[in-house]
């Protein structure tokens, strides 16, 4: 009797275990395929597709994944795929993908050269599936499906690092786009003979970044983005040397960060520049366009006038003062400016800027100054910021030239509340015969207007 009872209990235990396994299997089988696809979306795409070999019930589960990531440099089973294998893999995934909208799609092609039509087909396919986040990185030229892009209303984030032309329609609206980043793209007009402005409407856009792009539209381009906070653009005109008189207009009442890099051939117009708090302006002049210095001077003054209420400004000029030394003769007053960084600047231009920046707190000279006239420093009045606000001065690229020492002396003698002066000596000085200890002693012995001034010396590279 006891032995029979023990046997029954053993059978009951085994049945309970078997029942638990069956129930567990049933629970998994009852989960909707879309949910399983969502779970698989957290895996790398290759690994998600590999789950099809688990069982017959898993053969098509991966087709419901919503996050796709393709990178031809990532190894598969310990080694990198061959080009033909990778093309087959991408084509297979996109062909069998379900009808659910795709949350994110990333395509990074750096290992092989692909047929432009194939890459274009891949991009078109994913745009037609209502993708929300799209990132593409590909260095070779490709025909980008512009119409599919501007018809994809589901886009929330868009990042394109490509060598291609993007055709701008007369009007386009991406109603859900919040972040836009493009690099290396040539923007052209879909209808070159169209006489009115091209309009891009982004009702929810907050960040716009365009780096290393060539803007070749003959019409004005209007960007309507009422929620835009950050706008960063590098504008290079067409390499055809044809005059380009069109402009880029940004309608964004809440813009706080503005960054421009280019040759000023294309005018930038801000609808509400008074909202900008932080600005960066980098101007690079092509040697073949030196004859346009008059226009350059006018355009620089216009862009600086627009952002005259900024609090922080980085103004970097390359090959500009060599061809237009008087570019700073007419400057707006920067009534709110507290931080200023410059690279190419003459002594006269520096004094002009300082006089127009009464609230300046920090001044950074990235490459010192071209000159500093002793007579000018003694005859001119002391800038207001020296008396009431300037607390930090950084002099980078210090070469121990006489005019640089005159500038240091002028600042020390007139900056009444200066707290910190940092002099970063040029790298080459450590290999020269100049006795830097004597130079330091000479600077430290100069008269100080501020009793709390601390002077620090360092090399440009930080050592």
């Amino acid at each position: 009797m006891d032995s029979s009872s023990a046997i029954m209990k053993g059978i009951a235990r085994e049945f309970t275990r078997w029942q638990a396994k069956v129930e567990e299997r049933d629970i998994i089988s009852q989960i909707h395929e879309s949910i399983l696809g969502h779970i698989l979306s957290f895996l790398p795409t290759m690994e998600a597709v590999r789950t099809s070999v688990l069982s017959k019930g898993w053969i098509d589960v991966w087709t419901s994944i919503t996050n796709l990531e393709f990178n031809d440099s990532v190894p598969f089973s310990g080694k990198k795929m061959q080009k033909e294998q990778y093309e087959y893999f991408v084509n297979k995934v996109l062909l069998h993908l379900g009808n659910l909208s795709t949350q994110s799609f990333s395509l990074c092609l750096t290992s092989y050269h692909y047929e432009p039509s194939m890459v274009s087909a891949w991009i078109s396919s994913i745009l037609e599936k209502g993708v929300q986040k799209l990132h593409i990185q590909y260095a070779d030229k490709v025909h980008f499906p512009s119409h599919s892009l501007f018809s994809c209303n589901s886009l929330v984030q868009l990042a394109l690092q490509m060598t291609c032309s993007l055709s701008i329609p007369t009007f386009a609206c991406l109603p859900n786009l919040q972040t836009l980043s493009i690099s290396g793209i040539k923007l052209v007009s879909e209808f070159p003979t169209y006489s009115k402005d091209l309009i891009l409407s982004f009702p929810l856009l907050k960040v716009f970044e365009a780096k290393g792009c060539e803007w070749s539209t003959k019409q004005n381009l209007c960007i309507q983005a009422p929620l835009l906070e950050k706008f960063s653009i590098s504008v290079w005109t067409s390499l055809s040397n044809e005059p380009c008189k069109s402009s880029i207009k940004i309608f964004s009442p809440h813009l706080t960060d503005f960054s421009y890099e280019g040759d000023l051939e294309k005018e930038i117009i801000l609808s509400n520049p008074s909202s900008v708090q932080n600005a960066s302006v980098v101007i690079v002049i092509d040697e073949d366009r030196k004859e346009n210095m008059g226009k350059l001077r006018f355009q620089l003054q216009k862009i600086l006038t627009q952002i005259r209420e900024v609090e922080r400004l980085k103004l970097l000029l390359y090959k500009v003062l060599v061809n237009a030394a008087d570019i700073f003769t007419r400057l707006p007053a920067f009534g709110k400016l507290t931080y200023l960084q410059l690279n190419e600047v003459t002594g006269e231009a520096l004094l002009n800027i300082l006089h127009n920046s009464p609230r300046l707190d920090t001044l950074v000279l990235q490459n010192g100054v071209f000159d500093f006239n002793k007579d000018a420093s003694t005859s001119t009045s002391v800038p207001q910021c020296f008396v009431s606000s300037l607390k930090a001065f950084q002099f980078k690229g210090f070469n121990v030239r006489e005019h640089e020492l005159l500038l240091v002396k002028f600042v020390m003698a007139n900056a009444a509340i200066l707290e910190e002066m940092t002099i970063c000596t040029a790298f080459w000085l450590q290999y020269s015969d100049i006795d830097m200890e004597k130079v330091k002693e000479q600077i430290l012995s100069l008269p100080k207007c501020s009793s709390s001034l601390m002077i620090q010396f360092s090399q440009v590279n930080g050592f």
Side-chain angles (χ1 to χ4, degrees), residues 92-110:
K92 175 185 176 182
V93 172
L94 295 181
L95 180 63
H96 292 88
L97 206 59
N99 294 323
L100 294 174
S101 62
T102 304
Q103 290 186 1
S104 68
F105 179 84
S106 176
L107 181 64
C108 182
L109 306 175
T110 59

Side-chain angles (χ1 to χ4, degrees), residues 156-315:
V156 176
Q157 296 180 10
L158 175 62
L160 303 177
Q161 298 172 266
M162 305 178 67
T163 304
C164 66
S165 293
L166 189 62
S167 296
I168 308 296
T170 57
F171 176 83
C173 177
L174 295 179
N176 294 299
L177 191 64
Q178 297 180 19
T179 303
L180 171 61
S181 176
I182 56 177
S183 175
I185 291 178
K186 180 178 180 179
L187 291 99
V188 298
S189 174
E190 183 177 354
F191 302 100
T193 59
Y194 184 71
S195 59
K196 298 182 180 180
D197 294 352
L198 307 180
I199 299 176
L200 296 179
S201 177
F202 307 118
L204 301 182
L205 189 69
K206 293 185 177 181
V207 178
F208 181 104
E209 296 179 347
K211 300 178 181 179
C213 295
E214 182 181 343
W215 300 70
S216 300
T217 58
K218 294 183 179 180
Q219 303 93 336
N220 296 329
L221 179 63
C222 297
I223 299 174
Q224 298 177 348
L227 301 183
L228 188 65
E229 298 173 355
K230 181 180 179 181
F231 181 85
S232 177
I233 187 172
S234 61
V235 184
W236 306 104
T237 52
S238 175
L239 302 178
S240 63
N241 290 322
E242 295 180 1
C244 189
K245 299 180 180 180
S246 61
S247 62
I248 300 174
K249 304 175 183 179
I250 301 99
F251 294 89
S252 51
H254 304 292
L255 186 66
T256 58
D257 292 78
F258 172 78
S259 177
Y260 171 87
E261 178 180 349
D263 51 17
L264 286 176
E265 288 289 328
K266 188 177 287 289
E267 184 179 6
I268 304 294
I269 301 174
L270 304 177
S271 64
N272 186 34
S274 61
S275 65
V276 179
Q277 300 174 7
N278 307 300
S280 172
V281 178
V282 181
I283 309 299
V284 183
I285 300 302
D286 192 330
E287 291 294 330
D288 296 333
R289 298 183 183 268
K290 292 188 293 185
E291 69 280 359
N292 295 331
M293 283 302 152
K295 178 183 176 182
L296 168 67
R297 186 185 303 106
F298 177 70
Q299 294 287 27
L300 179 60
Q301 290 169 354
K302 285 187 67 174
I303 199 170
L304 292 178
T305 299
Q306 289 189 84
I307 59 173
R308 61 184 179 275
E309 296 189 41
V310 296
E311 297 175 9
R312 297 174 63 88
L313 174 61
K314 179 168 69 173
L315 180 58

Side-chain angles (χ1 to χ4, degrees), residues 324-369:
D326 60 342
I327 200 165
F328 289 123
T329 54
R330 296 180 181 178
L331 290 174
F334 297 98
K336 298 180 181 179
L337 190 64
T338 59
Y339 176 94
L340 175 63
Q341 180 180 347
L342 304 168
N343 72 327
E344 284 188 9
V345 64
T346 63
E348 181 181 1
L350 176 61
L351 289 174
N352 287 338
I353 297 175
L354 292 176
H355 278 291
N356 287 357
S357 308
R359 297 178 60 184
L360 192 65
D361 175 272
T362 302
L363 173 63
V364 179
L365 298 182
Q366 189 166 298
N367 291 313
V369 291

